[in-house]
Each structure stands twice: as C-alpha cells, then as structure tokens.
Amino acid sequence: AQTVTQSQPEMSVQEAETVTLSCTYDTSENNYYLFWYKQPPSRQMILVIRQEAYKQQNATENRFSVNFQKAAKSFSLKISDSQLGDTAMYFCAFMKSNSGTYKYIFGTGTRLKVLA
Amino acid sequence: DAMVIQNPRYQVTQFGKPVTLSCSQTLNHNVMYWYQQKSSQAPKLLFHYYDKDFNNEADTPDNFQSRRPNTSFCFLDIRSPGLGDAAMYLCATSSSTTYAETQYFGPGTRLLVL
C-alpha cells in the first residue's frame, strides 16, 4: 500500500525567509501524481502545486516550488519570501490509478507558522 | 466564484442522535467526495459519488451514509454518532475520477458529539 510521510509536524519561519517542507512516499508504481495542499485556519484546503511523476522538471508556482526526487521518493515544498498569509497546515498527497479510479492518499500534515 | 459550500460550519449533536451534513457545489463537477479529518491526522476518504454512482471505501463504517439527490448537492448522514465520530468533515469535488484531477474542497463542517 502507498504511504505518505510528513516528518515535520510543526515548523516556523520568519517573514520574507525561505522554508522547505519535507514529504516522502512509498510506492512501487512508476506513474503517479503528487500534490501539495494548503489549509489555512478555518478555511478550505486549496491546491498549491502538483507534479506528474513522468515529468523530470520540478513544478513551480510563483513563490512555491518543489524538489521532486523520484528515485529517493521525495517531494519537498519550498516557499520563498514567506508571507504571513502562508500560515497554514500543508498536506502532501499522492495519487495514482487504482482499478481506473484516482484517489488521494494524504500525509499527516505540517503546520507552518510565519512569524512577523 | 465557483465554489464548494458546506453547511453548517459547526454542528453539535448528541451521542446516538442522527445528524446530516450538507455540501453544495457550483462547479458542476461529476464527482463529490466526503472526507473525515480528525485532529492532527490526514483526511480520510469515506466515499464518493460519480454522478449517481455511489462508491464506498472498504473501511467506512456502516454508520456513515450518503445521498446525492442532484449534481449540486451531496449529504453525509451519520445514523448514530459516537464520541469517536467527532471530527472535521470535508466535502470535495472533481470533474472525474478516471484521471488525476485536482479536487476542490469546501471549508468543512466541524462535528462535536456530546
């Protein structure tokens, strides 16, 4: 079975600095998808970034980028120029086809606090 | 803006008293999901609807049921809530399950069982 591990339950970072959240996963599949979701306090979970395993290039969305190491099964999220609005719970998620149906497997999350 | 709406945001019920949580969407997505998220844990998929087809996860207790009367609405029914059912319940939607589509989440309903 696939598992997703986020080893940092909580992190903090000073405003304007860079922080990296780690995520590792376990799978024997070759084709799969990886996601980072952000869940701000009392607000809905929103997609930050996604990565297709067949793409070697790391995905980037403005201040958010990933370091995808397929051989190491690692998918870390880097947030540059951290802002107070980045304070949230961050979930790493894995997705692959299971009998033709795609479902998420989520990690347990990392709570990030950006300090003023 | 197209969105996923959950009502109520907070729900208090008594042990054993049936409760219904609701979700609506303006995205016109085919798929609607229900997740249970306990404190400091990952969201856990309970079931999903693809159009009118109901798909239950193997480890979802029978105490949890769902209804989808039309494309826009989906309900989560907890027939006899126990203390262990206190959690955040998240509704999500996507256009399909046959590709790795992004899911769009609602803000959740926090359920408290007294």
Side-chain angles (χ1 to χ4, degrees):
Chain A
Q2 286 76 29
T3 58
V4 178
T5 301
Q6 294 180 250
S7 60
Q8 305 149 316
E10 293 186 1
M11 295 187 73
S12 61
V13 62
Q14 288 294 135
E15 195 175 10
E17 294 188 348
T18 296
V19 63
T20 298
L21 309 183
S22 67
C23 174
T24 58
Y25 56 93
D26 184 25
T27 184
S28 58
E29 301 287 329
N30 194 45
N31 294 321
Y32 51 88
Y33 303 80
L34 296 162
F35 302 78
W36 278 99
Y37 273 88
K38 169 186 177 181
Q39 188 177 35
S42 301
R43 294 178 59 189
Q44 67 256 52
M45 199 151 57
I46 57 174
L47 179 68
V48 175
I49 203 165
R50 66 177 276 161
Q51 174 83 40
E52 288 82 359
Y54 62 84
K55 290 186 177 179
Q56 293 185 338
Q57 188 172 7
N58 289 326
T60 298
E61 287 289 342
N62 301 315
R63 297 182 296 108
F64 298 88
S65 61
V66 298
N67 183 5
F68 174 46
Q69 302 288 330
K70 191 172 183 178
K73 299 179 183 176
S74 171
F75 183 61
S76 60
L77 175 69
K78 185 173 82 170
I79 307 174
S80 304
D81 186 25
S82 297
Q83 301 175 1
L84 296 178
D86 295 333
T87 293
M89 193 75 156
Y90 287 82
F91 289 98
C92 179
F94 172 96
M95 183 185 269
K96 74 164 191 71
S97 174
N98 185 358
S99 301
T101 299
Y102 284 84
K103 301 177 186 176
Y104 284 131
I105 298 169
F106 285 97
T108 52
T110 295
R111 189 176 302 279
L112 177 68
K113 187 170 185 178
V114 180
L115 307 172
Chain B
D1 287 341
M3 56 199 316
V4 181
I5 303 160
Q6 291 189 245
N7 286 308
R9 295 292 307 275
Y10 298 90
Q11 177 74 55
V12 181
T13 191
Q14 292 180 330
F15 183 94
K17 185 175 181 180
V19 65
T20 295
L21 310 182
S22 72
C23 176
S24 63
Q25 53 131 342
T26 61
L27 296 159
N28 203 32
H29 279 167
N30 294 317
V31 191
M32 295 187 78
Y33 307 82
W34 280 104
Y35 290 86
Q36 179 191 65
Q37 184 182 19
K38 295 188 176 181
S39 181
S40 301
Q41 295 185 21
K44 176 181 178 299
L45 181 63
L46 297 174
F47 27 59
H48 73 274
Y49 270 97
Y50 196 131
D51 290 333
K52 294 186 180 298
D53 293 332
F54 178 70
N55 297 271
N56 200 27
E57 293 301 300
D59 57 354
T60 298
D62 293 340
N63 197 27
F64 292 88
Q65 304 286 322
S66 187
R67 296 170 284 135
R68 189 179 186 186
N70 54 52
T71 300
S72 300
F73 285 86
C74 194
F75 300 98
L76 170 62
D77 300 309
I78 309 176
R79 293 193 296 187
S80 181
L83 298 179
D85 296 328
M88 177 76 86
Y89 290 88
L90 303 174
C91 176
T93 72
S94 71
S95 58
S96 171
T97 61
T98 55
Y99 183 65
E101 299 288 348
T102 297
Q103 292 183 17
Y104 296 83
F105 286 82
T109 294
R110 186 168 296 281
L111 178 68
L112 180 62
V113 181
L114 301 178

Short mmCIF file of all heavy atoms in Angstrom, two decimals, chain A residues 33 35 37 39 42-47 50 52 54 89 91 95 100-104 106-109 111, chain B residues 4 9-10 33 35 37 40-43 45 48 57 88 90 97-107:
data_model
loop_
_atom_site.label_atom_id
_atom_site.label_comp_id
_atom_site.label_asym_id
_atom_site.label_seq_id
_atom_site.Cartn_x
_atom_site.Cartn_y
_atom_site.Cartn_z
N TYR A 33 1.00 10.85 -9.31
CA TYR A 33 0.94 12.30 -9.23
C TYR A 33 1.12 12.71 -7.77
O TYR A 33 0.67 12.01 -6.85
CB TYR A 33 -0.41 12.82 -9.75
CG TYR A 33 -0.68 12.37 -11.17
CD1 TYR A 33 -1.15 11.09 -11.43
CD2 TYR A 33 -0.43 13.23 -12.24
CE1 TYR A 33 -1.37 10.67 -12.73
CE2 TYR A 33 -0.66 12.81 -13.55
CZ TYR A 33 -1.12 11.53 -13.79
OH TYR A 33 -1.34 11.12 -15.07
N PHE A 35 0.95 16.10 -4.95
CA PHE A 35 0.31 17.40 -4.74
C PHE A 35 0.75 17.97 -3.39
O PHE A 35 1.04 17.22 -2.45
CB PHE A 35 -1.22 17.24 -4.69
CG PHE A 35 -1.83 16.61 -5.91
CD1 PHE A 35 -1.78 15.24 -6.12
CD2 PHE A 35 -2.50 17.40 -6.84
CE1 PHE A 35 -2.36 14.66 -7.24
CE2 PHE A 35 -3.08 16.83 -7.97
CZ PHE A 35 -3.01 15.46 -8.16
N TYR A 37 -1.18 20.61 -0.78
CA TYR A 37 -2.37 21.39 -0.47
C TYR A 37 -2.09 22.25 0.75
O TYR A 37 -1.38 21.84 1.67
CB TYR A 37 -3.57 20.48 -0.18
CG TYR A 37 -4.36 20.06 -1.39
CD1 TYR A 37 -4.01 18.94 -2.11
CD2 TYR A 37 -5.46 20.81 -1.81
CE1 TYR A 37 -4.74 18.56 -3.22
CE2 TYR A 37 -6.21 20.43 -2.91
CZ TYR A 37 -5.84 19.30 -3.61
OH TYR A 37 -6.57 18.94 -4.71
N GLN A 39 -4.06 24.35 3.87
CA GLN A 39 -5.32 24.51 4.61
C GLN A 39 -5.14 25.61 5.65
O GLN A 39 -4.68 25.35 6.76
CB GLN A 39 -5.71 23.18 5.27
CG GLN A 39 -7.10 23.19 5.90
CD GLN A 39 -7.47 21.83 6.49
OE1 GLN A 39 -6.63 21.11 7.01
NE2 GLN A 39 -8.75 21.47 6.40
N SER A 42 -9.39 27.63 9.60
CA SER A 42 -10.83 27.82 9.39
C SER A 42 -11.21 28.12 7.94
O SER A 42 -12.26 28.69 7.67
CB SER A 42 -11.36 28.95 10.29
OG SER A 42 -11.13 28.64 11.64
N ARG A 43 -10.35 27.72 7.03
CA ARG A 43 -10.66 27.95 5.61
C ARG A 43 -10.44 26.68 4.82
O ARG A 43 -9.85 25.72 5.32
CB ARG A 43 -9.81 29.09 5.06
CG ARG A 43 -10.13 30.44 5.69
CD ARG A 43 -9.24 31.52 5.16
NE ARG A 43 -9.35 31.67 3.71
CZ ARG A 43 -8.54 32.44 2.98
NH1 ARG A 43 -7.58 33.11 3.57
NH2 ARG A 43 -8.70 32.54 1.69
N GLN A 44 -10.91 26.66 3.58
CA GLN A 44 -10.84 25.41 2.83
C GLN A 44 -9.44 25.11 2.35
O GLN A 44 -8.60 25.99 2.18
CB GLN A 44 -11.81 25.40 1.64
CG GLN A 44 -11.46 26.39 0.55
CD GLN A 44 -12.36 27.57 0.61
OE1 GLN A 44 -12.51 28.21 1.65
NE2 GLN A 44 -12.98 27.86 -0.51
N MET A 45 -9.22 23.85 2.10
CA MET A 45 -7.96 23.36 1.58
C MET A 45 -7.88 23.71 0.10
O MET A 45 -8.83 23.48 -0.66
CB MET A 45 -7.91 21.84 1.78
CG MET A 45 -6.54 21.25 1.71
SD MET A 45 -6.37 19.76 2.71
CE MET A 45 -7.62 18.73 2.05
N ILE A 46 -6.76 24.28 -0.30
CA ILE A 46 -6.59 24.67 -1.70
C ILE A 46 -5.29 24.08 -2.24
O ILE A 46 -4.32 23.89 -1.52
CB ILE A 46 -6.60 26.19 -1.89
CG1 ILE A 46 -5.51 26.85 -1.03
CG2 ILE A 46 -7.96 26.78 -1.56
CD1 ILE A 46 -5.36 28.32 -1.28
N LEU A 47 -5.29 23.81 -3.52
CA LEU A 47 -4.12 23.26 -4.18
C LEU A 47 -3.03 24.31 -4.28
O LEU A 47 -3.27 25.43 -4.71
CB LEU A 47 -4.48 22.76 -5.57
CG LEU A 47 -3.34 22.18 -6.39
CD1 LEU A 47 -2.87 20.86 -5.79
CD2 LEU A 47 -3.77 21.97 -7.84
N ARG A 50 1.18 20.87 -8.11
CA ARG A 50 1.11 19.45 -8.43
C ARG A 50 2.28 19.07 -9.34
O ARG A 50 2.82 19.92 -10.06
CB ARG A 50 -0.22 19.08 -9.09
CG ARG A 50 -0.46 19.69 -10.45
CD ARG A 50 -1.78 19.20 -11.04
NE ARG A 50 -1.64 17.92 -11.70
CZ ARG A 50 -2.65 17.11 -11.98
NH1 ARG A 50 -3.89 17.43 -11.61
NH2 ARG A 50 -2.47 15.98 -12.62
N GLU A 52 3.57 15.77 -11.91
CA GLU A 52 3.40 14.46 -12.55
C GLU A 52 4.72 13.71 -12.46
O GLU A 52 5.78 14.27 -12.78
CB GLU A 52 2.99 14.62 -14.02
CG GLU A 52 1.58 15.11 -14.21
CD GLU A 52 1.42 16.62 -14.10
OE1 GLU A 52 2.42 17.32 -13.84
OE2 GLU A 52 0.29 17.11 -14.28
N TYR A 54 6.03 11.55 -14.27
CA TYR A 54 6.76 11.33 -15.52
C TYR A 54 7.51 12.57 -15.98
O TYR A 54 8.29 12.52 -16.92
CB TYR A 54 5.80 10.85 -16.62
CG TYR A 54 4.70 11.82 -16.98
CD1 TYR A 54 4.92 12.84 -17.87
CD2 TYR A 54 3.44 11.69 -16.42
CE1 TYR A 54 3.91 13.73 -18.21
CE2 TYR A 54 2.42 12.58 -16.75
CZ TYR A 54 2.66 13.59 -17.64
OH TYR A 54 1.65 14.46 -17.98
N MET A 89 -1.85 24.80 7.52
CA MET A 89 -1.47 23.39 7.52
C MET A 89 -1.20 23.02 6.08
O MET A 89 -1.98 23.36 5.19
CB MET A 89 -2.63 22.57 8.10
CG MET A 89 -2.26 21.17 8.44
SD MET A 89 -1.28 21.12 9.95
CE MET A 89 -1.63 19.46 10.48
N PHE A 91 -0.51 19.87 3.45
CA PHE A 91 -0.63 18.43 3.26
C PHE A 91 0.01 18.03 1.94
O PHE A 91 -0.25 18.64 0.90
CB PHE A 91 -2.10 18.00 3.24
CG PHE A 91 -2.78 18.08 4.57
CD1 PHE A 91 -3.56 19.18 4.90
CD2 PHE A 91 -2.66 17.05 5.49
CE1 PHE A 91 -4.20 19.26 6.12
CE2 PHE A 91 -3.30 17.13 6.72
CZ PHE A 91 -4.07 18.23 7.04
N MET A 95 -1.30 10.42 -5.59
CA MET A 95 -2.46 9.93 -6.32
C MET A 95 -2.01 9.03 -7.46
O MET A 95 -1.08 9.35 -8.19
CB MET A 95 -3.27 11.11 -6.88
CG MET A 95 -4.53 10.70 -7.61
SD MET A 95 -5.38 12.11 -8.37
CE MET A 95 -6.47 12.59 -7.05
N GLY A 100 -8.58 1.98 -12.21
CA GLY A 100 -9.18 3.02 -13.04
C GLY A 100 -9.71 4.22 -12.29
O GLY A 100 -10.21 5.16 -12.91
N THR A 101 -9.61 4.22 -10.97
CA THR A 101 -10.10 5.35 -10.18
C THR A 101 -8.93 6.00 -9.45
O THR A 101 -8.11 5.31 -8.83
CB THR A 101 -11.13 4.87 -9.14
OG1 THR A 101 -12.25 4.30 -9.84
CG2 THR A 101 -11.62 6.02 -8.27
N TYR A 102 -8.86 7.32 -9.55
CA TYR A 102 -7.80 8.07 -8.89
C TYR A 102 -8.29 8.61 -7.55
O TYR A 102 -9.35 9.24 -7.48
CB TYR A 102 -7.35 9.24 -9.76
CG TYR A 102 -6.48 8.83 -10.93
CD1 TYR A 102 -7.04 8.38 -12.11
CD2 TYR A 102 -5.09 8.89 -10.83
CE1 TYR A 102 -6.24 7.99 -13.17
CE2 TYR A 102 -4.29 8.52 -11.89
CZ TYR A 102 -4.87 8.06 -13.06
OH TYR A 102 -4.08 7.68 -14.11
N LYS A 103 -7.53 8.37 -6.49
CA LYS A 103 -7.86 8.86 -5.16
C LYS A 103 -6.60 9.39 -4.51
O LYS A 103 -5.50 8.92 -4.78
CB LYS A 103 -8.43 7.74 -4.28
CG LYS A 103 -9.68 7.08 -4.81
CD LYS A 103 -10.10 5.93 -3.91
CE LYS A 103 -11.27 5.17 -4.52
NZ LYS A 103 -11.64 3.99 -3.70
N TYR A 104 -6.81 10.35 -3.60
CA TYR A 104 -5.69 10.89 -2.84
C TYR A 104 -5.32 9.98 -1.66
O TYR A 104 -6.19 9.39 -1.02
CB TYR A 104 -6.04 12.25 -2.23
CG TYR A 104 -6.06 13.40 -3.19
CD1 TYR A 104 -7.14 14.27 -3.22
CD2 TYR A 104 -4.99 13.68 -4.02
CE1 TYR A 104 -7.18 15.35 -4.06
CE2 TYR A 104 -5.02 14.77 -4.88
CZ TYR A 104 -6.11 15.60 -4.89
OH TYR A 104 -6.14 16.68 -5.73
N PHE A 106 -3.24 11.11 1.64
CA PHE A 106 -2.67 12.31 2.25
C PHE A 106 -1.65 11.93 3.32
O PHE A 106 -1.77 10.91 4.01
CB PHE A 106 -3.77 13.14 2.93
CG PHE A 106 -4.64 13.91 1.98
CD1 PHE A 106 -5.86 13.40 1.58
CD2 PHE A 106 -4.23 15.14 1.51
CE1 PHE A 106 -6.67 14.12 0.71
CE2 PHE A 106 -5.04 15.86 0.64
CZ PHE A 106 -6.26 15.35 0.24
N GLY A 107 -0.66 12.81 3.51
CA GLY A 107 0.19 12.76 4.68
C GLY A 107 -0.53 13.41 5.86
O GLY A 107 -1.64 13.93 5.72
N THR A 108 0.13 13.36 7.02
CA THR A 108 -0.50 13.87 8.24
C THR A 108 -0.36 15.38 8.40
O THR A 108 -0.92 15.95 9.32
CB THR A 108 0.08 13.19 9.48
OG1 THR A 108 1.50 13.28 9.42
CG2 THR A 108 -0.33 11.73 9.54
N GLY A 109 0.37 16.02 7.52
CA GLY A 109 0.41 17.47 7.50
C GLY A 109 1.57 18.07 8.27
O GLY A 109 2.13 17.47 9.19
N ARG A 111 2.23 21.83 10.12
CA ARG A 111 1.66 23.13 10.48
C ARG A 111 2.76 24.18 10.39
O ARG A 111 3.74 24.12 11.13
CB ARG A 111 1.09 23.09 11.89
CG ARG A 111 0.29 24.34 12.26
CD ARG A 111 -0.34 24.19 13.65
NE ARG A 111 -1.20 23.05 13.76
CZ ARG A 111 -2.45 22.98 13.34
NH1 ARG A 111 -3.01 24.05 12.78
NH2 ARG A 111 -3.17 21.88 13.50
N VAL B 4 -17.29 25.34 -3.47
CA VAL B 4 -17.86 24.23 -2.71
C VAL B 4 -18.29 24.80 -1.36
O VAL B 4 -17.48 25.40 -0.66
CB VAL B 4 -16.85 23.09 -2.54
CG1 VAL B 4 -17.48 21.94 -1.77
CG2 VAL B 4 -16.34 22.62 -3.90
N ARG B 9 -21.15 25.16 9.36
CA ARG B 9 -19.71 25.10 9.59
C ARG B 9 -19.41 24.38 10.90
O ARG B 9 -18.35 23.76 11.03
CB ARG B 9 -19.13 26.51 9.62
CG ARG B 9 -19.23 27.26 8.30
CD ARG B 9 -18.32 26.64 7.23
NE ARG B 9 -16.96 26.51 7.67
CZ ARG B 9 -16.04 27.47 7.60
NH1 ARG B 9 -16.37 28.64 7.10
NH2 ARG B 9 -14.81 27.25 8.01
N TYR B 10 -20.30 24.50 11.85
CA TYR B 10 -20.15 23.80 13.13
C TYR B 10 -21.47 23.11 13.45
O TYR B 10 -22.54 23.69 13.27
CB TYR B 10 -19.79 24.78 14.26
CG TYR B 10 -18.49 25.49 14.04
CD1 TYR B 10 -18.44 26.71 13.37
CD2 TYR B 10 -17.30 24.93 14.50
CE1 TYR B 10 -17.24 27.35 13.15
CE2 TYR B 10 -16.09 25.58 14.28
CZ TYR B 10 -16.06 26.78 13.61
OH TYR B 10 -14.87 27.42 13.39
N TYR B 33 -17.01 14.08 -3.02
CA TYR B 33 -16.34 13.24 -2.04
C TYR B 33 -16.68 13.72 -0.62
O TYR B 33 -16.88 14.90 -0.39
CB TYR B 33 -14.81 13.36 -2.17
CG TYR B 33 -14.22 13.12 -3.54
CD1 TYR B 33 -14.21 14.13 -4.49
CD2 TYR B 33 -13.63 11.91 -3.86
CE1 TYR B 33 -13.64 13.93 -5.74
CE2 TYR B 33 -13.05 11.70 -5.11
CZ TYR B 33 -13.07 12.71 -6.04
OH TYR B 33 -12.49 12.52 -7.28
N TYR B 35 -14.74 13.40 3.14
CA TYR B 35 -13.57 13.00 3.92
C TYR B 35 -13.85 13.27 5.40
O TYR B 35 -14.54 14.22 5.75
CB TYR B 35 -12.34 13.83 3.55
CG TYR B 35 -11.75 13.57 2.19
CD1 TYR B 35 -12.24 14.22 1.06
CD2 TYR B 35 -10.67 12.70 2.05
CE1 TYR B 35 -11.67 13.99 -0.19
CE2 TYR B 35 -10.10 12.48 0.80
CZ TYR B 35 -10.60 13.13 -0.30
OH TYR B 35 -10.03 12.91 -1.54
N GLN B 37 -11.69 14.17 8.81
CA GLN B 37 -10.36 14.62 9.23
C GLN B 37 -10.37 14.83 10.74
O GLN B 37 -10.98 15.78 11.24
CB GLN B 37 -9.97 15.91 8.53
CG GLN B 37 -8.56 16.39 8.84
CD GLN B 37 -8.21 17.70 8.18
OE1 GLN B 37 -9.09 18.44 7.75
NE2 GLN B 37 -6.93 17.98 8.06
N SER B 40 -5.04 16.63 13.87
CA SER B 40 -3.64 16.26 13.61
C SER B 40 -3.52 14.99 12.77
O SER B 40 -2.47 14.32 12.81
CB SER B 40 -2.88 16.08 14.92
OG SER B 40 -2.91 17.26 15.67
N GLN B 41 -4.54 14.66 12.02
CA GLN B 41 -4.48 13.49 11.15
C GLN B 41 -4.75 13.88 9.71
O GLN B 41 -5.28 14.95 9.41
CB GLN B 41 -5.47 12.42 11.61
CG GLN B 41 -5.17 11.83 12.97
CD GLN B 41 -6.12 10.70 13.33
OE1 GLN B 41 -6.74 10.08 12.46
NE2 GLN B 41 -6.23 10.41 14.62
N ALA B 42 -4.42 12.99 8.82
CA ALA B 42 -4.68 13.21 7.40
C ALA B 42 -6.18 13.04 7.11
O ALA B 42 -6.85 12.24 7.77
CB ALA B 42 -3.87 12.22 6.58
N PRO B 43 -6.68 13.76 6.14
CA PRO B 43 -8.07 13.50 5.71
C PRO B 43 -8.20 12.05 5.23
O PRO B 43 -7.33 11.53 4.52
CB PRO B 43 -8.26 14.48 4.55
CG PRO B 43 -7.25 15.55 4.77
CD PRO B 43 -6.08 14.87 5.39
N LEU B 45 -10.70 9.41 3.24
CA LEU B 45 -11.84 9.33 2.33
C LEU B 45 -12.87 8.34 2.87
O LEU B 45 -12.54 7.20 3.19
CB LEU B 45 -11.38 8.91 0.94
CG LEU B 45 -12.45 8.80 -0.13
CD1 LEU B 45 -13.10 10.16 -0.41
CD2 LEU B 45 -11.85 8.23 -1.41
N HIS B 48 -17.37 8.37 -2.23
CA HIS B 48 -17.59 9.40 -3.25
C HIS B 48 -18.70 8.97 -4.18
O HIS B 48 -19.04 7.78 -4.29
CB HIS B 48 -16.30 9.70 -4.02
CG HIS B 48 -15.88 8.62 -5.00
ND1 HIS B 48 -15.12 7.54 -4.66
CD2 HIS B 48 -16.12 8.51 -6.34
CE1 HIS B 48 -14.90 6.80 -5.72
NE2 HIS B 48 -15.50 7.35 -6.75
N GLU B 57 -15.74 3.43 0.55
CA GLU B 57 -14.43 2.88 0.90
C GLU B 57 -14.65 1.65 1.78
O GLU B 57 -15.59 1.60 2.57
CB GLU B 57 -13.58 3.92 1.62
CG GLU B 57 -13.19 5.10 0.75
CD GLU B 57 -12.39 4.69 -0.47
OE1 GLU B 57 -11.31 4.10 -0.30
OE2 GLU B 57 -12.87 4.95 -1.59
N MET B 88 -13.60 16.92 11.79
CA MET B 88 -13.93 17.82 10.69
C MET B 88 -14.32 16.96 9.50
O MET B 88 -13.64 15.99 9.18
CB MET B 88 -12.73 18.69 10.35
CG MET B 88 -12.96 19.61 9.17
SD MET B 88 -13.97 21.02 9.59
CE MET B 88 -12.70 22.13 10.21
N LEU B 90 -14.95 17.03 5.51
CA LEU B 90 -14.65 17.82 4.33
C LEU B 90 -15.37 17.26 3.12
O LEU B 90 -15.36 16.05 2.89
CB LEU B 90 -13.14 17.81 4.04
CG LEU B 90 -12.21 18.29 5.14
CD1 LEU B 90 -10.76 18.07 4.74
CD2 LEU B 90 -12.47 19.76 5.44
N THR B 97 -12.91 10.90 -11.91
CA THR B 97 -12.00 10.05 -11.12
C THR B 97 -11.13 9.19 -12.02
O THR B 97 -10.31 8.42 -11.53
CB THR B 97 -12.79 9.10 -10.20
OG1 THR B 97 -13.62 8.26 -11.01
CG2 THR B 97 -13.64 9.86 -9.21
N THR B 98 -11.32 9.34 -13.34
CA THR B 98 -10.56 8.49 -14.26
C THR B 98 -9.29 9.16 -14.75
O THR B 98 -8.59 8.65 -15.60
CB THR B 98 -11.43 8.10 -15.47
OG1 THR B 98 -11.92 9.30 -16.08
CG2 THR B 98 -12.60 7.26 -15.03
N TYR B 99 -9.00 10.30 -14.18
CA TYR B 99 -7.73 10.98 -14.41
C TYR B 99 -7.38 11.67 -13.10
O TYR B 99 -8.22 11.83 -12.22
CB TYR B 99 -7.83 11.99 -15.55
CG TYR B 99 -6.52 12.66 -15.87
CD1 TYR B 99 -5.44 11.94 -16.37
CD2 TYR B 99 -6.36 14.02 -15.63
CE1 TYR B 99 -4.23 12.56 -16.61
CE2 TYR B 99 -5.16 14.65 -15.88
CZ TYR B 99 -4.10 13.92 -16.37
OH TYR B 99 -2.90 14.53 -16.60
N ALA B 100 -6.12 12.06 -12.97
CA ALA B 100 -5.66 12.69 -11.72
C ALA B 100 -6.11 14.14 -11.66
O ALA B 100 -5.31 15.07 -11.69
CB ALA B 100 -4.15 12.58 -11.62
N GLU B 101 -7.41 14.31 -11.54
CA GLU B 101 -7.96 15.66 -11.49
C GLU B 101 -7.75 16.27 -10.11
O GLU B 101 -7.84 15.59 -9.09
CB GLU B 101 -9.45 15.62 -11.79
CG GLU B 101 -9.82 15.08 -13.17
CD GLU B 101 -9.48 16.04 -14.28
OE1 GLU B 101 -9.18 17.21 -13.99
OE2 GLU B 101 -9.54 15.64 -15.46
N THR B 102 -7.56 17.56 -10.10
CA THR B 102 -7.49 18.29 -8.84
C THR B 102 -8.85 18.25 -8.16
O THR B 102 -9.89 18.37 -8.82
CB THR B 102 -7.09 19.75 -9.11
OG1 THR B 102 -5.78 19.76 -9.68
CG2 THR B 102 -7.11 20.57 -7.83
N GLN B 103 -8.85 18.06 -6.86
CA GLN B 103 -10.08 18.12 -6.09
C GLN B 103 -10.20 19.52 -5.45
O GLN B 103 -9.21 20.09 -5.02
CB GLN B 103 -10.10 17.04 -5.02
CG GLN B 103 -10.19 15.64 -5.60
CD GLN B 103 -10.29 14.56 -4.54
OE1 GLN B 103 -10.60 14.82 -3.38
NE2 GLN B 103 -10.06 13.33 -4.95
N TYR B 104 -11.43 20.00 -5.39
CA TYR B 104 -11.73 21.30 -4.81
C TYR B 104 -12.51 21.07 -3.52
O TYR B 104 -13.54 20.41 -3.53
CB TYR B 104 -12.53 22.15 -5.79
CG TYR B 104 -11.74 22.48 -7.04
CD1 TYR B 104 -11.67 21.59 -8.09
CD2 TYR B 104 -11.03 23.67 -7.13
CE1 TYR B 104 -10.92 21.87 -9.23
CE2 TYR B 104 -10.30 23.98 -8.27
CZ TYR B 104 -10.23 23.07 -9.31
OH TYR B 104 -9.49 23.35 -10.42
N PHE B 105 -12.00 21.64 -2.45
CA PHE B 105 -12.54 21.36 -1.13
C PHE B 105 -13.43 22.49 -0.62
O PHE B 105 -13.19 23.67 -0.90
CB PHE B 105 -11.40 21.14 -0.13
CG PHE B 105 -10.70 19.82 -0.30
CD1 PHE B 105 -9.72 19.67 -1.26
CD2 PHE B 105 -11.03 18.74 0.49
CE1 PHE B 105 -9.07 18.45 -1.43
CE2 PHE B 105 -10.39 17.51 0.33
CZ PHE B 105 -9.41 17.38 -0.63
N GLY B 106 -14.41 22.10 0.17
CA GLY B 106 -15.17 23.07 0.94
C GLY B 106 -14.45 23.39 2.24
O GLY B 106 -13.42 22.78 2.56
N PRO B 107 -15.00 24.32 3.03
CA PRO B 107 -14.34 24.75 4.26
C PRO B 107 -14.49 23.75 5.40
O PRO B 107 -13.81 23.88 6.42
CB PRO B 107 -15.03 26.06 4.60
CG PRO B 107 -16.38 25.94 3.98
CD PRO B 107 -16.19 25.12 2.73
#
